[in-house]
C-alpha cells in the first residue's frame, strides 16, 4: 500500500472506530455573518445546497459540490486550480467564503476548491447578480458561501477508493458541553493521475498509456472549531489547515517544438486560516455581528524543461499573510430594518524567483494590497411588496509594489435595489439589480508567472451593471425557478497575446465593454412514489464590444450548460441517482492568440448509496459512483480537457 493510500485508510479506520457512538443533531443553527436572513430582506437570486443534497451527489471535493446548480460551474485552469465561475464569469469575479471569511488568496484573487475536502462543508449557498454589500469588494458576478455548521455531535465520516490510485477519507465530529460546542474534521485525498477520456484530445506532452501526465495529487486537511452560544453573545473560533503537493497538467494542444507549454509542479502548498465569528444583542432590536480572519499561505512552483519532469529550470517561492475584519450593525427602526457594514483587509505577498540552472536567487519582492468597504442597506415594506436598497463605497490601495511601478489608489461606489412580491398563488417575482466593481488582484497587476505574462501597469478596475428577474413557483409536488439575467461590463479585464523579441506573451488589458445575457432555470418534480426528477440549465450569450478584442465572443463561456437527474429510492435503505449534463460550445485563445473552438461535450454520472447496517444510532452505507460514464471529452479550456471515466467505491457512516 502506498503512503498516499495509507492517508485514506487511516482516516477510514478512525471513522469505523469512533462512529458507533455517533449521533447527528437535526438543528441547523449557525453563526452566519455574511448576508444573514431577515424577514423583510429581499436578495438577488441564490441557490442553497444543504447537507442531504451534498451527500447524495458524493462530491470528491468542494468544487464538485457546485455541480448541477444552474449558472454555476467549476473548471480546472492552466495552473491546475479548480475554480468556481458564476454565469461563465472569470474566476476572480466570484468571491468564495468559508464561514463568512474570504477564502481566496488575495495576491491571486482565487482559491483552489479542488483540494478542499467535501466532508468539511455542510452546506453551500451561491448568490448571483448584485449580491448583498456584506460580501464586500470584487463580487461582481456572485459569491459562494461555504459553511461548516456548528451543531454536529458525535462522529461521522466516509472513505472511497477509485480509478488511477484515487483514495479519499474524511472524519467529522462534534460535541456540546453546556453552552460550548466543539467540532473537528480531518480529511485526506490522493490520486496517481486523472483518467484520460480520449488520447486523441492530448496530442502533445502526454504519455502513451496511463493517466494524464503530471496530474498526481496528495492533500491533507485539518479543521477545528470551538463555539459559545449564550443568551446575549455568541462566538466561534475555527482553524483550517490544508497541505498539498501536486502536478499540473501541461497544455496538451501545444507542440513543444513551436510553443512549449508550462511544465510545472507544486512541491509544497500550505494554507492556514483562522476565523473568529461573533454576534451580540446590544438592544431590543439591535445586533452587532463581526468576523475576523487571518490567513497564512505559502507555495513553491517548480518549472521543468520538458514533459519528463526530471530537470528543473526555475523555482518560484511565495509567502502571503492576510488580515481582515467585517462588522455589521443591524437594527430595526419601524417599519424599516437597517444594516451598516464596514470591512477592511490587508494582504502582503513576498516572492523569490530562483534560476535552478545557475543556483542564483533573485531579489525578494514584497507587495501589499489593501481593500476597504463601508456601506448601508435598508429593508422597507412597500404595500404589497417589499424592497431592499443598498449603497457602499469601495477603495483599494497598493502601498508596496515590489520592483514594479507604483499604483494610484482607486475607489468606486456600489449600489443595488431588489423588490419582491407575490404575483399569483405560490408564485413570487423578484426584481434586482445594481452596480459592482472589482479591483485587479496584485497578481494581475504585477505577476509575470515565470515569464508567461507581460505586466500592464495601466490596468484599471472593472465595473459591472447587473439586472435579474426571478420567477419562483412552489407547488405540492413540483417547483420551478426561472431567472433571466443581464450584465453590462465596463473595463472588463481580458487577455491578449503580444510578441516581444519573438516570444509570445499574454497581457491583461481593460476591454471597453462586455455584454452578457441569458437565463438560468431549475425545476424539481415528484414523478411517482420514490422517483423524482431534477432539471437545470443556463443559456447565455457573452460578447465584447466591437473594436478592442480580437473577436467578440468572450473566452471560455459555454453557450449553454443544461442537464438533469433522476433520483430513485425503491425502498428506504437504497438511493439510486443518474445525472446528465451537456456543456455547450465555447471559444478560447491558442498559443499564438488566435481563436480556437471548444466543442460541446456530454457527461453522464451514476450514484448509489445503500444503507446496509446500523451501529447504535449510526447508519452504515456502501457507496458507488461512476463519473463521466461515457468517457466523453469536455474541454472547458483549450488543451485541458476534463477527466475521463472514474469508478469509485466506498463506505459512509452517519
Amino acid at each position: 500500500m502506498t503512503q498516499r493510500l495509507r492517508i485514506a485508510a487511516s482516516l477510514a479506520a478512525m471513522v469505523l472506530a469512533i462512529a458507533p457512538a455517533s449521533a447527528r443533531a437535526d438543528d441547523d443553527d449557525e453563526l452566519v455573518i455574511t448576508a444573514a436572513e431577515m424577514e423583510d430582506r429581499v436578495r438577488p437570486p441564490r441557490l442553497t445546497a444543504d447537507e442531504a443534497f451534498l451527500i447524495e451527489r458524493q462530491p470528491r471535493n468542494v468544487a464538485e459540490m457546485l455541480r448541477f446548480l444552474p449558472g454555476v460551474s467549476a473548471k480546472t485552469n492552466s495552473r491546475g486550480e479548480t475554480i468556481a465561475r458564476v454565469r461563465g464569469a472569470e474566476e476572480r469575479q466570484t468571491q468564495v467564503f468559508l464561514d463568512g471569511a474570504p477564502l481566496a488568496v488575495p495576491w491571486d484573487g482565487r482559491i483552489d476548491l479542488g483540494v478542499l475536502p467535501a466532508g468539511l462543508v455542510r452546506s453551500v449557498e451561491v448568490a448571483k447578480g448584485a449580491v448583498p454589500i456584506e460580501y464586500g469588494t470584487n463580487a461582481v458576478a456572485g459569491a459562494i458561501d461555504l459553511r461548516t455548521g456548528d451543531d454536529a455531535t458525535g462522529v461521522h465520516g466516509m472513505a472511497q477508493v477509485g480509478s488511477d490510485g484515487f483514495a479519499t477519507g474524511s472524519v467529522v465530529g462534534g460535541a456540546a458541553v453546556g453552552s460550548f460546542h466543539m467540532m473537528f474534521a480531518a480529511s485526506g485525498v490522493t490520486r496517481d493521475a486523472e483518467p484520460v477520456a480520449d488520447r486523441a484530445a492530448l496530442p502533445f506532452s502526454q504519455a502513451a498509456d496511463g493517466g494524464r501526465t503530471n496530474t498526481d495529487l496528495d492533500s491533507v486537511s485539518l479543521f477545528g472549531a470551538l463555539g459559545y452560544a449564550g443568551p446575549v453573545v455568541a462566538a466561534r473560533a475555527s482553524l483550517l489547515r490544508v497541505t498539498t503537493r501536486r502536478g499540473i497538467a501541461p497544455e496538451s494542444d501545444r507542440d513543444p517544438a513551436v510553443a512549449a507549454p508550462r511544465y510545472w509542479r507544486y512541491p509544497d502548498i500550505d494554507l492556514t486560516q483562522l476565523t473568529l465569528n461573533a454576534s451580540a444583542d446590544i438592544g431590543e432590536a439591535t445586533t452587532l455581528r463581526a468576523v475576523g480572519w487571518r490567513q497564512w499561505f505559502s507555495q513553491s512552483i517548480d518549472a521543468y524543461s520538458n514533459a519528463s519532469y526530471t530537470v528543473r529550470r526555475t523555482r518560484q517561492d511565495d509567502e502571503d499573510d492576510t488580515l481582515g475584519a467585517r462588522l455589521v450593525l443591524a437594527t430595526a427602526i419601524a417599519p424599516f430594518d437597517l444594516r451598516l457594514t464596514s470591512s477592511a483587509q490587508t494582504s502582503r505577498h513576498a516572492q523569490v524567483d530562483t534560476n535552478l540552472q545557475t543556483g542564483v536567487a533573485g531579489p525578494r519582492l514584497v507587495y501589499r494590497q489593501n481593500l476597504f468597504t463601508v456601506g448601508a442597506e435598508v429593508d422597507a415594506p412597500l404595500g404589497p411588496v417589499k424592497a431592499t436598497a443598498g449603497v457602499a463605497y469601495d477603495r483599494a490601495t497598493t502601498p508596496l509594489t515590489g520592483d514594479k511601478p507604483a499604483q494610484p489608489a482607486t475607489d468606486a461606489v456600489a449600489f443595488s435595489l431588489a423588490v419582491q412580491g407575490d404575483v399569483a398563488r405560490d408564485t413570487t417575482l423578484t426584481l434586482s439589480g445594481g452596480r459592482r466593481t472589482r479591483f485587479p488582484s496584485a497578481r494581475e497587476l504585477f505577476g509575470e508567472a515565470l515569464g508567461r505574462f507581460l505586466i500592464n501597469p495601466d490596468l484599471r478596475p472593472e465595473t459591472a451593471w447587473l439586472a435579474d428577474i426571478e420567477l419562483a413557483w412552489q407547488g405540492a409536488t413540483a417547483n420551478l425557478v426561472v431567472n433571466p439575467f443581464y450584465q453590462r461590463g465596463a473595463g472588463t479585464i481580458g487577455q491578449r497575446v503580444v510578441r516581444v523579441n519573438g516570444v509570445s506573451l499574454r497581457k491583461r488589458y481593460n476591454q471597453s465593454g462586455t455584454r452578457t445575457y441569458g437565463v438560468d432555470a431549475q425545476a424539481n418534480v415528484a414523478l411517482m412514489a420514490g422517483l423524482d426528477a431534477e432539471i437545470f440549465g443556463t443559456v447565455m450569450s457573452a460578447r465584447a464590444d466591437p473594436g478592442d478584442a480580437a473577436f467578440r465572443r468572450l473566452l471560455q463561456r459555454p453557450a449553454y450548460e443544461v442537464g438533469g437527474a433522476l433520483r430513485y429510492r425503491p425502498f428506504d435503505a437504497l438511493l439510486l441517482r443518474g445525472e446528465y449534463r451537456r456543456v455547450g460550445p465555447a471559444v478560447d485563445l491558442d498559443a499564438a492568440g488566435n481563436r480556437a473552438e471548444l466543442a460541446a461535450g456530454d457527461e453522464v454520472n451514476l450514484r448509489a448509496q445503500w444503507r446496509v447496517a446500523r451501529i447504535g444510532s449510526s447508519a452504515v452505507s456502501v457507496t458507488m459512483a461512476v463519473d463521466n460514464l461515457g468517457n466523453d471529452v469536455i474541454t472547458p479550456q483549450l488543451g485541458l480537457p476534463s477527466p475521463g471515466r472514474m469508478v469509485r467505491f466506498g463506505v459512509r457512516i452517519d
Side-chain angles (χ1 to χ4, degrees):
M1 182 181 291
T2 67
Q3 182 179 1
R4 295 193 292 269
L5 287 174
R6 290 192 185 101
I7 297 172
S10 298
L11 289 168
M14 292 170 61
V15 175
L16 294 170
I18 303 174
S22 70
R24 292 297 309 279
D26 294 326
D27 193 25
D28 196 28
D29 267 344
E30 54 185 316
L31 198 57
V32 178
I33 32 59
T34 37
E37 194 69 35
M38 296 182 177
E39 182 179 357
D40 291 323
R41 186 172 200 172
V42 183
R43 303 194 353 166
R46 58 181 175 147
L47 307 164
T48 300
D50 61 15
E51 189 173 21
F53 177 99
L54 299 176
I55 290 173
E56 183 178 310
R57 284 151 182 79
Q58 299 186 38
R60 286 170 287 185
N61 49 53
V62 168
E64 291 191 354
M65 290 181 167
L66 306 177
R67 286 179 179 222
F68 293 82
L69 296 177
V72 187
S73 62
K75 76 176 189 67
T76 301
N77 61 20
S78 61
R79 295 174 66 91
E81 302 160 330
T82 306
I83 41 80
R85 304 182 72 160
V86 172
R87 293 168 174 167
E90 293 293 341
E91 55 263 34
R92 294 185 179 93
Q93 296 176 334
T94 300
Q95 296 299 293
V96 179
F97 297 81
L98 179 67
D99 291 332
L103 195 55
V105 179
W107 161 257
D108 203 16
R110 55 194 179 189
I111 185 69
D112 185 359
L113 299 178
V115 301
L116 296 180
L120 171 66
V121 176
R122 295 189 61 198
S123 66
V124 178
E125 181 175 288
V126 179
K128 299 184 284 188
V131 300
I133 59 174
E134 286 101 319
Y135 289 113
T137 61
N138 296 339
V140 299
I144 296 174
D145 252 332
L146 308 174
R147 296 174 181 171
T148 61
D150 57 7
D151 63 344
T153 56
V155 177
H156 67 103
M158 57 78 66
Q160 277 192 331
V161 295
S163 311
D164 293 295
F166 173 83
T168 186
S170 65
V171 57
V172 181
V177 180
S179 298
F180 292 89
H181 183 274
M182 296 170 287
M183 177 182 174
F184 72 90
S187 178
V189 62
T190 182
R191 68 169 182 250
D192 294 334
E194 289 183 341
V196 175
D198 183 358
R199 297 194 177 278
L202 305 170
F204 302 106
S205 303
Q206 175 60 41
D209 54 12
R212 182 78 192 268
T213 297
N214 200 45
T215 55
D216 58 296
L217 168 69
D218 297 292
S219 184
V220 174
S221 304
L222 299 173
F223 178 84
L226 176 64
Y228 168 79
V232 176
V233 175
R236 185 178 192 239
S238 63
L239 184 68
L240 171 68
R241 170 76 170 172
V242 183
T243 61
T244 305
R245 60 182 182 185
R246 66 180 309 165
I248 304 173
E251 298 103 326
S252 59
D253 63 304
R254 298 190 176 189
D255 184 348
V258 178
R262 292 184 289 188
Y263 299 113
W264 282 9
R265 288 190 60 81
Y266 287 100
D268 298 291
I269 306 175
D270 293 284
L271 170 70
T272 302
Q273 181 145 322
L274 173 66
T275 304
L276 302 175
N277 304 77
S279 69
D281 297 329
I282 58 177
E284 184 177 345
T286 304
T287 300
L288 178 65
R289 304 196 311 273
V291 59
W293 58 91
R294 183 74 181 270
Q295 182 190 89
W296 299 270
F297 178 80
S298 65
Q299 69 177 8
S300 297
I301 307 175
D302 286 343
Y304 290 78
S305 299
N306 52 52
S308 68
Y309 295 92
T310 55
V311 179
R312 293 185 303 164
R313 294 189 299 106
T314 60
R315 167 173 281 206
Q316 176 180 310
D317 292 301
D318 300 330
E319 292 182 359
D320 292 77
D321 189 351
T322 300
L323 178 67
R326 181 190 310 110
L327 293 174
V328 179
L329 180 69
T331 188
I333 306 174
F336 306 108
D337 290 328
L338 176 66
R339 288 173 298 281
L340 303 177
T341 300
S342 62
S343 64
Q345 176 177 278
T346 182
S347 182
R348 178 190 59 82
H349 173 82
Q351 178 176 319
V352 175
D353 292 338
T354 302
N355 185 326
L356 298 177
Q357 303 293 304
T358 63
V360 177
R364 185 173 185 267
L365 303 177
V366 180
Y367 306 84
R368 182 175 293 277
Q369 185 177 55
N370 302 321
L371 298 174
F372 309 92
T373 296
V374 61
E377 197 172 64
V378 62
D379 307 327
L382 302 175
V385 303
K386 53 185 180 179
T388 294
V391 62
Y393 171 75
D394 301 327
R395 182 175 176 84
T397 64
T398 52
L400 298 177
T401 61
D403 60 348
K404 309 301 189 300
Q407 291 287 315
T410 53
D411 55 12
V413 175
F415 50 84
S416 57
L417 175 65
V419 180
Q420 184 180 86
D422 296 331
V423 294
R425 182 179 178 181
D426 302 321
T427 305
T428 301
L429 180 67
T430 304
L431 307 177
S432 62
R435 181 183 189 267
R436 294 289 184 267
T437 297
R438 185 181 80 84
F439 300 106
S441 69
R443 179 172 177 262
E444 289 175 295
L445 288 169
F446 310 120
E448 298 174 82
L450 296 178
R452 180 181 176 88
F453 276 89
L454 181 68
I455 67 166
N456 180 0
D458 299 322
L459 203 61
R460 306 184 311 277
E462 57 184 18
T463 301
W465 295 85
L466 306 138
D468 279 271
I469 302 173
E470 184 179 66
L471 185 68
W473 172 77
Q474 178 68 59
T477 59
N479 61 71
L480 172 67
V481 178
V482 179
N483 173 206
F485 60 87
Y486 175 84
Q487 177 176 322
R488 174 64 175 165
T492 306
I493 297 174
Q495 294 184 22
R496 58 164 57 109
V497 175
V498 297
R499 297 284 290 180
V500 178
N501 297 325
V503 178
S504 293
L505 299 175
R506 296 204 173 200
K507 183 178 182 179
R508 297 182 178 92
Y509 73 104
N510 292 99
Q511 301 176 78
S512 62
T514 59
R515 183 178 286 104
T516 301
Y517 60 89
V519 60
D520 297 332
Q522 184 176 31
N524 295 274
V525 183
L527 300 176
M528 55 182 288
L531 181 62
D532 302 323
E534 303 170 11
I535 302 172
F536 84 97
T538 297
V539 179
M540 182 177 65
S541 173
R543 299 288 188 272
D545 289 352
D548 68 344
F551 47 88
R552 294 192 59 192
R553 190 167 176 183
L554 297 184
L555 305 179
Q556 301 173 20
R557 266 83 158 180
Y560 57 85
E561 184 171 341
V562 297
L566 288 176
R567 178 179 181 274
Y568 181 48
R569 191 182 289 276
F571 49 91
D572 185 60
L574 178 62
L575 178 63
L576 305 174
R577 179 180 174 85
E579 303 173 342
Y580 170 73
R581 180 173 70 112
R582 180 169 176 83
V583 180
V587 299
D588 204 352
L589 289 178
D590 67 12
N594 300 314
R595 173 176 173 140
E597 301 292 331
L598 303 179
D602 299 280
E603 177 185 350
V604 176
N605 306 312
L606 302 178
R607 303 285 186 265
Q609 184 169 319
W610 189 2
R611 188 177 67 245
V612 294
R614 282 194 174 275
I615 306 176
S617 57
S618 299
V620 180
S621 303
V622 294
T623 64
M624 184 275 290
V626 182
D627 305 299
N628 195 2
L629 176 67
N631 223 18
D632 199 17
V633 176
I634 300 174
T635 309
Q637 184 171 335
L638 189 64
L640 297 167
S642 297
R645 183 189 303 113
M646 173 180 281
V647 180
R648 298 179 274 141
F649 297 94
V651 60
R652 182 173 190 91
I653 300 179
D654 295 288

